[in-house]
Amino acid sequence: NRRSKAAAKPPRRPQESCWRHVGLLRWESPVCVCVCVWGRWCHGGSASNYISIVPRDDLTQLPFTTMCIKESLRQYPPVTLVSRRCTEDIKLPDGRIIPKGIICVVSIYGTHHNPTVWPDSKVYNPYRFDPDNPQQRSPLAYVPFSAGPRNCIGQSFAMAEMRVVVALTLLRFRLSVDRTRKVRRKPELILRTENGIWLKVEPLPPRA
């Protein structure tokens, strides 16, 4: 019967989980360029001010570009919801208890826009992640790659890839937002937009 067939279904192989993460990374890099430019532009900034001449050896550094990527992932996390099973009783600040074994759905999007943790949460402000001015907040207040033993196994690679993609794109092109096209969020398995993010792309003149 169907129940016995479902019970006999083999467990998911680790390779399948890895390929899902790889697919998400391939989605994140180009989209993050669009989101960085879109967020920066909507709040009065210019994408062309991100970087100037970038030596190849410095592509893994770029502190301000990293700050912009992190703020973009805060405002628009790729995965908006995750579920976790409690491995022990959890006491909430109001005294209520979440019993061990309960499956909880955690809103990453809601966490990243919690005004108690993130003042002016709708404002795009990369300086929230300024390493020279660290903020006193929980390490779980910012979890674009989830957290705990089941977090994204490729988050370090993803951040490095996004830095390179953003830096090299903005080094060669001037990007601006097409304001005639409205951007509407479309939460699915990952956060998307209904009709994409439309940008105007202009090649920059060769550098001397």
Side-chain angles (χ1 to χ4, degrees), residues 106-122:
V106 181
S107 171
I108 295 177
Y109 187 92
T111 301
H112 286 185
H113 288 79
N114 183 349
T116 303
V117 181
W118 303 97
D120 299 321
S121 61
K122 295 183 179 180

Side-chain angles (χ1 to χ4, degrees), residues 7-170:
K9 186 177 180 180
R12 191 184 300 273
R13 294 176 298 174
Q15 293 91 337
E16 295 175 355
S17 177
C18 290
W19 281 116
R20 287 204 311 276
H21 284 297
V22 170
L24 181 57
L25 298 184
R26 292 302 174 191
W27 173 86
E28 281 175 350
S29 294
V31 170
C32 194
V33 176
C34 296
V35 171
C36 279
V37 174
W38 180 60
R40 179 77 168 167
W41 186 271
C42 289
H43 292 280
S46 171
S48 60
N49 292 335
Y50 276 173
I51 55 175
S52 53
I53 298 176
V54 183
R56 187 172 298 275
D57 293 340
D58 293 341
L59 284 174
T60 57
Q61 304 301 321
L62 302 171
F64 186 67
T65 301
T66 302
M67 290 159 53
C68 292
I69 291 172
K70 287 184 175 181
E71 176 67 351
S72 299
L73 292 176
R74 180 195 69 82
Q75 284 199 320
Y76 307 102
V79 178
T80 59
L81 295 171
V82 293
S83 61
R84 293 290 184 267
R85 185 187 300 273
C86 297
T87 58
E88 59 184 46
D89 291 350
I90 298 177
K91 186 175 182 180
L92 300 177
D94 62 3
R96 291 180 294 175
I97 302 292
I98 301 178
K100 175 182 177 180
I102 293 294
I103 296 178
C104 298
V105 176
V106 181
S107 171
I108 295 177
Y109 187 92
T111 301
H112 286 185
H113 288 79
N114 183 349
T116 303
V117 181
W118 303 97
D120 299 321
S121 61
K122 295 183 179 180
V123 175
Y124 182 87
N125 179 13
Y127 289 96
R128 301 179 199 271
F129 297 95
D130 187 351
D132 296 330
N133 186 25
Q135 304 295 314
Q136 297 299 321
R137 54 177 173 256
S138 167
L140 298 179
Y142 175 73
V143 285
F145 299 103
S146 187
R150 295 192 63 190
N151 65 351
C152 176
I153 61 175
Q155 57 182 299
S156 297
F157 172 75
M159 286 299 300
E161 186 178 49
M162 285 187 285
R163 277 193 292 266
V164 171
V165 171
V166 170
L168 293 183
T169 299
L170 298 181

Side-chain angles (χ1 to χ4, degrees), residues 176-193:
S176 59
V177 175
D178 184 350
R179 291 187 175 275
T180 64
R181 304 205 180 237
K182 188 174 182 179
V183 177
R184 295 177 59 88
R185 293 190 300 270
K186 186 180 181 183
E188 293 180 336
L189 177 62
I190 56 178
L191 183 61
R192 299 180 181 273
T193 58

